[in-house]
Amino acid sequence: MKKTLRLLVATALVALAAPVFAEAPAKPAPAAAVMAKPALLDINSASLQQLQALKGVGEVRAKAIVAGRPYKGKDDLVQKKILSKSVYDGIKDQIIAKQK
């Protein structure tokens, strides 16, 4: 009887202690590390096809962007009236105007 009781107590202790000694789950990687930022599109060197891939920029606007080069800053697209403010606001985080 004592053996059975000891065996029961030992089994219960092992069962209760198992989660404590189990390996902790790996922490998920931070979102920034998992999702790298896409490269910014340089409006001073991008092709017509690359520019047309931007939301709100079709063939006519892409040609106007190329014709207005070089740009000192990406906001020149609005200042030179190549893009409307609303279109610019939609793509400003995807573009850059690199200087040579």
Coordinates of all heavy atoms in Angstrom, one line a residue:
M1 N 0.8 -1.2 0.0 CA 0.0 0.0 0.0 C 0.9 1.3 0.0 O 0.6 2.2 -0.7 CB -0.9 -0.1 1.2 CG -1.8 1.1 1.3 SD -3.2 0.8 0.3 CE -4.3 2.0 0.9
K2 N 1.9 1.2 0.9 CA 2.8 2.4 0.9 C 3.6 2.6 -0.4 O 3.8 3.7 -0.9 CB 3.8 2.2 2.1 CG 3.2 2.5 3.4 CD 4.3 2.4 4.5 CE 3.7 2.7 5.8 NZ 4.7 2.7 6.9
K3 N 3.9 1.5 -1.1 CA 4.6 1.5 -2.3 C 3.7 2.2 -3.4 O 4.1 3.0 -4.2 CB 5.0 0.1 -2.8 CG 6.3 -0.3 -2.5 CD 6.6 -1.6 -3.1 CE 8.0 -2.0 -2.9 NZ 8.3 -3.3 -3.6
T4 N 2.5 1.8 -3.4 CA 1.5 2.3 -4.3 C 1.3 3.8 -4.1 O 1.2 4.6 -5.0 CB 0.1 1.6 -4.2 OG1 0.4 0.2 -4.3 CG2 -0.8 2.0 -5.3
L5 N 1.2 4.2 -2.8 CA 1.0 5.6 -2.5 C 2.3 6.4 -2.9 O 2.1 7.5 -3.5 CB 0.8 5.8 -1.0 CG 0.5 7.2 -0.5 CD1 -0.8 7.7 -1.2 CD2 0.2 7.2 1.0
R6 N 3.4 5.9 -2.7 CA 4.7 6.6 -3.1 C 4.7 6.7 -4.6 O 5.1 7.8 -5.1 CB 5.9 5.8 -2.6 CG 6.2 6.0 -1.1 CD 7.5 5.3 -0.8 NE 7.5 5.1 0.7 CZ 8.2 4.2 1.3 NH1 9.0 3.4 0.6 NH2 8.2 4.1 2.6
L7 N 4.4 5.7 -5.3 CA 4.4 5.7 -6.7 C 3.4 6.7 -7.3 O 3.7 7.5 -8.2 CB 4.1 4.3 -7.3 CG 4.1 4.1 -8.8 CD1 5.5 4.5 -9.3 CD2 3.8 2.7 -9.2
L8 N 2.2 6.8 -6.7 CA 1.2 7.8 -7.1 C 1.7 9.2 -6.8 O 1.5 10.1 -7.7 CB -0.1 7.5 -6.3 CG -1.3 8.3 -6.7 CD1 -1.6 8.2 -8.2 CD2 -2.5 8.0 -5.8
V9 N 2.3 9.4 -5.7 CA 2.8 10.8 -5.3 C 3.9 11.1 -6.3 O 4.0 12.3 -6.8 CB 3.3 10.8 -3.8 CG1 4.0 12.1 -3.6 CG2 2.1 10.7 -2.9
A10 N 4.9 10.2 -6.5 CA 6.0 10.5 -7.4 C 5.5 10.8 -8.8 O 6.0 11.7 -9.5 CB 6.9 9.3 -7.4
T11 N 4.5 10.0 -9.3 CA 3.9 10.3 -10.6 C 3.3 11.6 -10.7 O 3.4 12.4 -11.7 CB 2.9 9.2 -11.0 OG1 3.5 7.9 -10.9 CG2 2.4 9.3 -12.4
A12 N 2.6 12.0 -9.7 CA 1.9 13.3 -9.6 C 2.9 14.4 -9.6 O 2.8 15.5 -10.3 CB 1.0 13.4 -8.4
L13 N 4.0 14.3 -8.9 CA 5.1 15.3 -8.9 C 5.7 15.5 -10.2 O 6.0 16.6 -10.7 CB 6.1 15.0 -7.8 CG 5.6 15.2 -6.3 CD1 6.7 14.7 -5.4 CD2 5.3 16.6 -6.1
V14 N 6.0 14.4 -10.9 CA 6.6 14.4 -12.2 C 5.7 15.1 -13.2 O 6.1 16.0 -14.0 CB 7.0 13.0 -12.7 CG1 7.4 13.1 -14.2 CG2 8.1 12.5 -11.8
A15 N 4.4 14.8 -13.1 CA 3.4 15.4 -14.0 C 3.3 16.9 -13.8 O 3.2 17.7 -14.7 CB 2.1 14.7 -13.9
L16 N 3.3 17.3 -12.5 CA 3.2 18.7 -12.2 C 4.5 19.5 -12.6 O 4.4 20.6 -12.9 CB 2.9 18.9 -10.7 CG 1.5 18.4 -10.3 CD1 1.3 18.6 -8.8 CD2 0.4 19.3 -11.0
A17 N 5.6 18.8 -12.4 CA 6.9 19.5 -12.7 C 7.3 19.6 -14.2 O 8.1 20.4 -14.6 CB 8.0 18.8 -11.9
A18 N 6.7 18.7 -15.0 CA 7.1 18.6 -16.4 C 7.0 20.0 -17.1 O 7.9 20.4 -17.8 CB 6.3 17.6 -17.1
P19 N 5.9 20.7 -16.9 CA 5.8 22.0 -17.7 C 6.8 23.0 -17.2 O 7.3 23.8 -18.0 CB 4.4 22.5 -17.3 CG 3.6 21.3 -16.9 CD 4.6 20.4 -16.3
V20 N 7.3 22.9 -15.9 CA 8.3 23.9 -15.4 C 9.6 23.6 -16.1 O 10.3 24.5 -16.4 CB 8.4 23.7 -13.9 CG1 9.5 24.6 -13.4 CG2 7.1 24.1 -13.2
F21 N 10.0 22.4 -16.3 CA 11.2 22.0 -16.9 C 11.2 21.9 -18.4 O 12.2 21.7 -19.1 CB 11.7 20.7 -16.3 CG 12.1 20.8 -14.9 CD1 11.3 20.2 -13.9 CD2 13.1 21.6 -14.4 CE1 11.5 20.3 -12.6 CE2 13.4 21.7 -13.1 CZ 12.6 21.1 -12.1
A22 N 10.1 22.0 -19.0 CA 10.0 22.0 -20.4 C 10.6 23.2 -21.1 O 10.7 24.2 -20.4 CB 8.5 21.9 -20.9
E23 N 11.1 23.0 -22.2 CA 11.8 24.1 -22.9 C 10.8 25.2 -23.3 O 9.7 25.0 -23.7 CB 12.4 23.6 -24.2 CG 13.3 24.6 -24.9 CD 13.9 24.0 -26.2 OE1 14.4 22.9 -26.1 OE2 14.0 24.7 -27.2
A24 N 11.2 26.4 -23.0 CA 10.3 27.6 -23.2 C 10.2 27.7 -24.7 O 11.2 27.5 -25.5 CB 10.9 28.8 -22.6
P25 N 9.0 28.1 -25.2 CA 8.8 28.3 -26.7 C 9.7 29.5 -27.1 O 9.9 30.4 -26.4 CB 7.3 28.6 -26.8 CG 6.9 29.0 -25.5 CD 7.8 28.4 -24.5
A26 N 10.2 29.4 -28.3 CA 11.0 30.4 -28.9 C 10.2 31.7 -29.1 O 9.0 31.6 -29.5 CB 11.6 30.0 -30.2
K27 N 10.8 32.8 -28.8 CA 10.1 34.1 -29.0 C 10.0 34.4 -30.5 O 11.0 34.2 -31.2 CB 10.8 35.2 -28.3 CG 10.8 35.1 -26.8 CD 11.5 36.3 -26.1 CE 11.5 36.2 -24.6 NZ 12.2 37.3 -24.0
P28 N 8.9 34.9 -30.9 CA 8.8 35.3 -32.3 C 9.7 36.4 -32.6 O 10.0 37.3 -31.8 CB 7.3 35.6 -32.5 CG 6.8 36.0 -31.2 CD 7.7 35.2 -30.2
A29 N 10.2 36.4 -33.8 CA 11.1 37.5 -34.3 C 10.3 38.8 -34.4 O 9.1 38.8 -34.7 CB 11.7 37.2 -35.6
P30 N 10.9 40.0 -34.0 CA 10.2 41.2 -34.2 C 9.7 41.4 -35.6 O 10.4 41.0 -36.6 CB 11.3 42.3 -33.8 CG 12.4 41.5 -33.2 CD 12.3 40.1 -33.6
A31 N 8.6 42.1 -35.8 CA 8.0 42.3 -37.1 C 9.0 43.0 -38.0 O 9.1 42.7 -39.2 CB 6.8 43.1 -37.0
A32 N 9.8 43.9 -37.5 CA 10.7 44.6 -38.3 C 11.8 43.7 -38.9 O 12.2 43.9 -40.1 CB 11.4 45.8 -37.6
A33 N 12.2 42.7 -38.2 CA 13.2 41.8 -38.7 C 12.6 40.8 -39.7 O 13.3 40.4 -40.6 CB 13.8 41.0 -37.5
V34 N 11.4 40.5 -39.5 CA 10.7 39.5 -40.4 C 10.4 40.2 -41.8 O 10.6 39.6 -42.8 CB 9.4 39.0 -39.8 CG1 8.7 38.1 -40.8 CG2 9.8 38.2 -38.6
M35 N 9.9 41.4 -41.7 CA 9.5 42.1 -42.9 C 10.4 43.2 -43.2 O 10.3 44.3 -42.6 CB 8.0 42.6 -42.8 CG 7.0 41.5 -42.5 SD 5.4 42.2 -42.3 CE 5.0 42.6 -44.0
A36 N 11.4 43.0 -44.1 CA 12.3 44.1 -44.4 C 11.6 45.1 -45.3 O 10.7 44.8 -46.0 CB 13.4 43.5 -45.2
K37 N 12.0 46.4 -45.1 CA 11.4 47.4 -45.9 C 11.8 47.3 -47.4 O 12.9 46.9 -47.7 CB 12.0 48.8 -45.4 CG 11.4 49.3 -44.2 CD 11.9 50.7 -43.9 CE 11.2 51.4 -42.8 NZ 11.8 52.7 -42.6
P38 N 10.8 47.5 -48.2 CA 11.1 47.4 -49.6 C 12.0 48.6 -50.0 O 11.9 49.7 -49.4 CB 9.8 47.5 -50.3 CG 8.8 48.1 -49.3 CD 9.4 47.7 -48.0
A39 N 12.8 48.4 -51.0 CA 13.7 49.5 -51.5 C 12.9 50.6 -52.0 O 11.9 50.4 -52.6 CB 14.7 49.0 -52.5
L40 N 13.4 51.8 -51.7 CA 12.7 53.0 -52.2 C 13.0 53.2 -53.7 O 14.1 52.9 -54.2 CB 13.1 54.3 -51.5 CG 12.8 54.3 -50.0 CD1 13.4 55.5 -49.3 CD2 11.3 54.3 -49.8
L41 N 12.1 53.7 -54.5 CA 12.2 53.9 -55.9 C 12.7 55.3 -56.2 O 12.1 56.3 -55.8 CB 10.9 53.7 -56.6 CG 10.9 53.8 -58.1 CD1 11.7 52.7 -58.7 CD2 9.4 53.7 -58.7
D42 N 13.9 55.4 -56.8 CA 14.5 56.7 -57.1 C 13.8 57.3 -58.3 O 13.9 56.8 -59.4 CB 16.0 56.5 -57.4 CG 16.7 57.8 -57.7 OD1 16.2 58.9 -57.5 OD2 17.9 57.7 -58.1
I43 N 13.2 58.4 -58.1 CA 12.4 59.1 -59.2 C 13.4 59.7 -60.2 O 13.0 60.0 -61.3 CB 11.4 60.1 -58.7 CG1 12.1 61.2 -57.9 CG2 10.3 59.4 -57.9 CD1 11.2 62.3 -57.5
N44 N 14.7 59.8 -59.9 CA 15.6 60.4 -60.8 C 16.2 59.4 -61.7 O 16.9 59.7 -62.7 CB 16.8 61.1 -60.1 CG 16.3 62.5 -59.6 OD1 15.5 63.2 -60.2 ND2 16.8 62.9 -58.4
S45 N 16.0 58.1 -61.5 CA 16.6 57.0 -62.3 C 15.6 55.9 -62.7 O 16.0 55.0 -63.4 CB 17.8 56.5 -61.7 OG 17.5 55.8 -60.4
A46 N 14.5 55.9 -62.1 CA 13.5 54.8 -62.3 C 13.0 54.7 -63.8 O 12.9 55.8 -64.5 CB 12.3 54.9 -61.4
S47 N 12.8 53.5 -64.3 CA 12.3 53.4 -65.6 C 10.8 53.7 -65.7 O 10.1 53.8 -64.6 CB 12.5 51.9 -66.1 OG 11.6 51.1 -65.3
L48 N 10.3 53.9 -66.9 CA 8.8 54.1 -67.0 C 8.0 53.0 -66.4 O 7.0 53.3 -65.7 CB 8.5 54.3 -68.5 CG 8.9 55.6 -69.2 CD1 8.6 55.5 -70.7 CD2 8.2 56.8 -68.6
Q49 N 8.4 51.8 -66.6 CA 7.6 50.7 -66.0 C 7.7 50.7 -64.5 O 6.6 50.4 -63.9 CB 8.2 49.3 -66.5 CG 8.0 49.1 -68.0 CD 9.0 49.8 -68.9 OE1 10.0 50.3 -68.4 NE2 8.7 49.9 -70.2
Q50 N 8.8 51.0 -63.9 CA 8.9 51.1 -62.4 C 8.0 52.2 -61.9 O 7.3 52.0 -60.9 CB 10.3 51.3 -62.0 CG 11.2 50.1 -62.2 CD 12.7 50.5 -61.9 OE1 13.2 51.5 -62.3 NE2 13.4 49.5 -61.3
L51 N 8.0 53.3 -62.6 CA 7.1 54.4 -62.1 C 5.7 54.1 -62.3 O 4.8 54.4 -61.4 CB 7.5 55.7 -62.9 CG 8.9 56.3 -62.7 CD1 9.2 57.3 -63.7 CD2 8.9 56.9 -61.3
Q52 N 5.3 53.4 -63.4 CA 3.9 53.0 -63.6 C 3.4 52.0 -62.6 O 2.2 51.9 -62.4 CB 3.7 52.5 -65.0 CG 3.8 53.6 -66.1 CD 3.7 53.0 -67.5 OE1 3.1 51.9 -67.7 NE2 4.4 53.6 -68.4
A53 N 4.3 51.3 -61.9 CA 3.9 50.4 -60.9 C 3.4 51.1 -59.6 O 2.8 50.4 -58.8 CB 5.1 49.4 -60.6
L54 N 3.7 52.3 -59.5 CA 3.2 53.1 -58.3 C 1.8 53.4 -58.5 O 1.3 53.7 -59.5 CB 4.0 54.4 -58.2 CG 5.5 54.3 -57.9 CD1 6.2 55.6 -58.1 CD2 5.8 53.7 -56.5
K55 N 1.1 53.3 -57.3 CA -0.4 53.6 -57.3 C -0.7 55.0 -57.8 O -0.1 56.0 -57.3 CB -1.0 53.4 -55.9 CG -2.5 53.5 -55.9 CD -3.0 53.2 -54.5 CE -4.5 53.4 -54.5 NZ -5.1 53.2 -53.2
G56 N -1.5 55.1 -58.8 CA -1.9 56.5 -59.3 C -1.0 57.0 -60.3 O -1.3 58.1 -60.8
V57 N 0.0 56.3 -60.7 CA 0.9 56.8 -61.7 C 0.8 55.9 -63.0 O 1.2 54.7 -63.0 CB 2.4 56.7 -61.3 CG1 3.4 57.2 -62.4 CG2 2.6 57.6 -60.0
G58 N 0.2 56.5 -64.0 CA 0.0 55.7 -65.3 C 1.1 56.1 -66.2 O 2.1 56.8 -65.9
E59 N 0.9 55.8 -67.5 CA 1.9 56.1 -68.5 C 2.1 57.6 -68.7 O 3.3 58.0 -68.8 CB 1.4 55.5 -69.9 CG 2.4 55.7 -71.0 CD 1.9 55.2 -72.3 OE1 0.8 54.5 -72.4 OE2 2.6 55.4 -73.3
V60 N 1.1 58.4 -68.7 CA 1.2 59.9 -68.9 C 2.0 60.5 -67.7 O 3.0 61.3 -67.9 CB -0.1 60.5 -69.0 CG1 0.0 62.0 -69.1 CG2 -0.8 60.0 -70.3
R61 N 1.7 60.1 -66.5 CA 2.4 60.7 -65.3 C 3.8 60.2 -65.3 O 4.7 60.9 -64.9 CB 1.6 60.4 -64.0 CG 0.4 61.2 -63.9 CD -0.3 60.9 -62.5 NE -1.4 61.8 -62.3 CZ -2.4 61.6 -61.6 NH1 -2.5 60.4 -61.0 NH2 -3.4 62.4 -61.4
A62 N 4.0 58.9 -65.6 CA 5.4 58.4 -65.6 C 6.3 59.1 -66.6 O 7.4 59.5 -66.3 CB 5.4 56.9 -65.9
K63 N 5.7 59.4 -67.8 CA 6.5 60.2 -68.8 C 6.8 61.6 -68.3 O 7.8 62.2 -68.5 CB 5.7 60.2 -70.1 CG 5.8 58.9 -70.9 CD 5.0 58.9 -72.2 CE 5.1 57.6 -72.9 NZ 4.4 57.6 -74.2
A64 N 5.8 62.2 -67.6 CA 6.0 63.6 -67.1 C 7.1 63.6 -66.0 O 7.9 64.5 -65.9 CB 4.7 64.1 -66.5
I65 N 7.1 62.5 -65.2 CA 8.2 62.4 -64.2 C 9.5 62.3 -64.8 O 10.5 63.0 -64.4 CB 7.9 61.2 -63.2 CG1 6.6 61.4 -62.4 CG2 9.1 60.9 -62.3 CD1 6.2 60.2 -61.6
V66 N 9.7 61.5 -65.8 CA 10.9 61.3 -66.5 C 11.3 62.7 -67.2 O 12.5 63.1 -67.1 CB 10.9 60.2 -67.6 CG1 12.1 60.2 -68.4 CG2 10.7 58.8 -66.8
A67 N 10.4 63.3 -67.8 CA 10.7 64.6 -68.5 C 11.1 65.7 -67.5 O 11.8 66.6 -67.9 CB 9.5 65.0 -69.3
G68 N 10.6 65.7 -66.3 CA 10.9 66.7 -65.3 C 12.2 66.5 -64.5 O 12.5 67.3 -63.7
R69 N 13.0 65.5 -64.8 CA 14.2 65.2 -64.1 C 15.3 66.2 -64.4 O 15.3 66.8 -65.5 CB 14.7 63.8 -64.5 CG 13.9 62.7 -64.0 CD 14.5 61.4 -64.6 NE 13.7 60.2 -64.0 CZ 13.7 59.0 -64.5 NH1 14.5 58.7 -65.5 NH2 13.0 58.1 -64.0
P70 N 16.2 66.5 -63.5 CA 16.3 65.8 -62.2 C 15.5 66.6 -61.1 O 15.1 67.7 -61.3 CB 17.8 66.0 -61.9 CG 18.2 67.3 -62.6 CD 17.3 67.3 -63.8
Y71 N 15.3 65.9 -60.0 CA 14.5 66.4 -58.9 C 15.5 66.5 -57.7 O 16.3 65.7 -57.4 CB 13.4 65.5 -58.5 CG 12.4 65.3 -59.7 CD1 12.4 64.2 -60.5 CD2 11.4 66.2 -59.9 CE1 11.5 64.0 -61.5 CE2 10.5 66.1 -61.0 CZ 10.6 65.0 -61.7 OH 9.7 64.8 -62.8
K72 N 15.4 67.7 -57.0 CA 16.2 67.9 -55.8 C 15.6 67.1 -54.6 O 16.3 66.7 -53.8 CB 16.2 69.4 -55.5 CG 17.0 70.2 -56.5 CD 17.0 71.7 -56.1 CE 17.7 72.5 -57.1 NZ 17.7 73.9 -56.8
G73 N 14.3 67.0 -54.6 CA 13.6 66.3 -53.6 C 12.3 65.7 -54.1 O 11.8 66.1 -55.2
K74 N 11.8 64.7 -53.5 CA 10.6 64.0 -54.0 C 9.4 64.9 -54.0 O 8.5 64.7 -54.9 CB 10.4 62.7 -53.3 CG 10.1 62.8 -51.8 CD 10.0 61.5 -51.1 CE 9.7 61.6 -49.6 NZ 9.5 60.3 -49.0
D75 N 9.4 65.9 -53.1 CA 8.2 66.8 -53.1 C 8.2 67.7 -54.3 O 7.2 68.4 -54.6 CB 8.2 67.6 -51.8 CG 9.4 68.4 -51.6 OD1 10.5 68.0 -52.1 OD2 9.3 69.4 -50.9
D76 N 9.3 67.7 -55.1 CA 9.3 68.5 -56.4 C 8.2 68.0 -57.3 O 7.7 68.8 -58.2 CB 10.6 68.3 -57.1 CG 11.7 69.2 -56.5 OD1 11.4 70.0 -55.6 OD2 12.9 69.1 -57.0
L77 N 7.7 66.8 -57.2 CA 6.7 66.2 -58.0 C 5.4 67.0 -57.9 O 4.7 67.2 -58.8 CB 6.4 64.8 -57.7 CG 7.6 63.8 -58.1 CD1 7.3 62.4 -57.6 CD2 7.9 63.8 -59.5
V78 N 5.1 67.5 -56.7 CA 3.9 68.3 -56.4 C 4.2 69.8 -56.7 O 3.4 70.4 -57.4 CB 3.5 68.2 -54.9 CG1 2.3 69.1 -54.6 CG2 3.1 66.7 -54.6
Q79 N 5.4 70.2 -56.4 CA 5.7 71.6 -56.6 C 5.8 72.0 -58.1 O 5.4 73.0 -58.5 CB 7.1 72.0 -56.0 CG 7.0 72.0 -54.5 CD 8.4 72.2 -53.8 OE1 9.4 72.4 -54.5 NE2 8.4 72.1 -52.5
K80 N 6.2 71.0 -58.9 CA 6.3 71.2 -60.4 C 5.0 70.8 -61.0 O 4.9 70.8 -62.3 CB 7.4 70.4 -61.0 CG 8.8 70.9 -60.6 CD 9.9 70.1 -61.3 CE 11.3 70.6 -60.9 NZ 12.3 69.9 -61.7
K81 N 4.0 70.4 -60.2 CA 2.6 70.1 -60.7 C 2.6 68.9 -61.6 O 1.8 68.8 -62.5 CB 1.9 71.3 -61.3 CG 1.8 72.4 -60.3 CD 1.0 73.5 -60.9 CE 1.1 74.6 -59.8 NZ 0.0 75.5 -59.7
I82 N 3.5 67.9 -61.3 CA 3.6 66.7 -62.1 C 2.6 65.7 -61.5 O 1.9 65.0 -62.2 CB 5.0 66.1 -62.1 CG1 5.9 67.1 -62.9 CG2 5.0 64.7 -62.7 CD1 7.3 66.8 -62.9
L83 N 2.5 65.7 -60.2 CA 1.5 64.8 -59.4 C 0.6 65.7 -58.6 O 1.1 66.7 -58.0 CB 2.2 63.8 -58.6 CG 3.1 62.8 -59.2 CD1 3.7 61.9 -58.1 CD2 2.3 61.9 -60.2
S84 N -0.6 65.3 -58.4 CA -1.5 65.9 -57.5 C -1.1 65.6 -56.0 O -0.4 64.6 -55.8 CB -2.9 65.5 -57.7 OG -3.1 64.1 -57.3
K85 N -1.4 66.4 -55.1 CA -1.1 66.1 -53.7 C -1.6 64.8 -53.2 O -0.9 64.1 -52.5 CB -1.6 67.3 -52.8 CG -1.4 67.1 -51.4 CD 0.0 67.5 -51.0 CE 0.2 67.6 -49.5 NZ 1.3 66.9 -49.0
S86 N -2.8 64.4 -53.6 CA -3.4 63.1 -53.2 C -2.6 61.9 -53.7 O -2.4 61.0 -53.0 CB -4.9 63.0 -53.6 OG -5.0 63.1 -55.0
V87 N -2.2 62.0 -55.0 CA -1.4 60.9 -55.6 C 0.0 60.9 -54.9 O 0.4 59.8 -54.5 CB -1.2 61.0 -57.1 CG1 -0.2 60.0 -57.6 CG2 -2.6 60.9 -57.8
Y88 N 0.6 62.0 -54.7 CA 1.9 62.1 -54.0 C 1.8 61.5 -52.6 O 2.6 60.7 -52.2 CB 2.4 63.5 -54.0 CG 3.6 63.7 -53.1 CD1 4.9 63.3 -53.6 CD2 3.6 64.3 -51.9 CE1 6.0 63.5 -52.9 CE2 4.7 64.4 -51.1 CZ 5.9 64.0 -51.6 OH 7.0 64.1 -50.8
D89 N 0.7 61.9 -51.9 CA 0.6 61.4 -50.5 C 0.5 59.8 -50.5 O 0.9 59.2 -49.5 CB -0.7 62.0 -49.8 CG -0.5 63.4 -49.4 OD1 0.7 63.9 -49.4 OD2 -1.5 64.1 -49.2
G90 N -0.1 59.3 -51.5 CA -0.2 57.8 -51.6 C 1.1 57.1 -51.9 O 1.2 55.9 -51.6
I91 N 2.1 57.8 -52.5 CA 3.3 57.1 -52.9 C 4.6 57.7 -52.2 O 5.7 57.1 -52.4 CB 3.5 57.1 -54.4 CG1 3.7 58.5 -54.9 CG2 2.4 56.4 -55.1 CD1 4.2 58.6 -56.3
K92 N 4.5 58.7 -51.4 CA 5.6 59.4 -50.9 C 6.5 58.5 -50.0 O 7.7 58.7 -49.9 CB 5.2 60.7 -50.1 CG 4.5 60.4 -48.8 CD 4.1 61.7 -48.2 CE 3.2 61.4 -47.0 NZ 2.8 62.7 -46.4
D93 N 6.0 57.5 -49.4 CA 6.8 56.6 -48.6 C 7.5 55.5 -49.4 O 8.2 54.7 -48.9 CB 5.9 55.9 -47.5 CG 5.3 56.9 -46.5 OD1 6.0 58.0 -46.3 OD2 4.3 56.7 -46.0
Q94 N 7.2 55.5 -50.7 CA 7.8 54.5 -51.6 C 8.9 55.0 -52.5 O 9.5 54.3 -53.3 CB 6.7 53.8 -52.5 CG 5.6 53.2 -51.7 CD 4.4 52.9 -52.5 OE1 4.5 52.6 -53.7 NE2 3.2 52.9 -52.0
I95 N 9.1 56.4 -52.5 CA 10.0 57.0 -53.5 C 11.0 57.8 -52.8 O 10.9 58.2 -51.6 CB 9.2 57.9 -54.5 CG1 8.4 59.0 -53.8 CG2 8.3 57.1 -55.3 CD1 7.8 60.0 -54.7
I96 N 12.1 58.1 -53.5 CA 13.2 59.0 -53.1 C 13.7 59.7 -54.3 O 13.6 59.2 -55.4 CB 14.3 58.1 -52.4 CG1 15.3 59.0 -51.6 CG2 14.9 57.2 -53.4 CD1 16.2 58.2 -50.7
A97 N 14.4 60.8 -54.0 CA 15.1 61.5 -55.1 C 16.5 61.6 -54.8 O 17.0 62.5 -54.1 CB 14.5 62.9 -55.3
K98 N 17.3 60.6 -55.3 CA 18.7 60.6 -55.0 C 19.4 61.6 -55.9 O 19.1 61.9 -57.0 CB 19.3 59.2 -55.3 CG 18.8 58.1 -54.3 CD 19.5 56.8 -54.7 CE 19.0 55.7 -53.7 NZ 19.5 54.4 -54.1
Q99 N 20.5 62.2 -55.3 CA 21.3 63.1 -56.0 C 22.6 62.5 -56.5 O 23.1 61.6 -55.8 CB 21.7 64.3 -55.1 CG 20.5 65.0 -54.4 CD 19.5 65.5 -55.5 OE1 19.9 66.3 -56.3 NE2 18.2 65.1 -55.3
K100 N 23.0 62.8 -57.7 CA 24.3 62.2 -58.2 C 25.5 63.0 -57.8 O 25.5 64.1 -57.5 CB 24.2 62.1 -59.7 CG 23.1 61.1 -60.1 CD 23.1 60.9 -61.6 CE 22.0 59.9 -62.0 NZ 22.0 59.5 -63.3

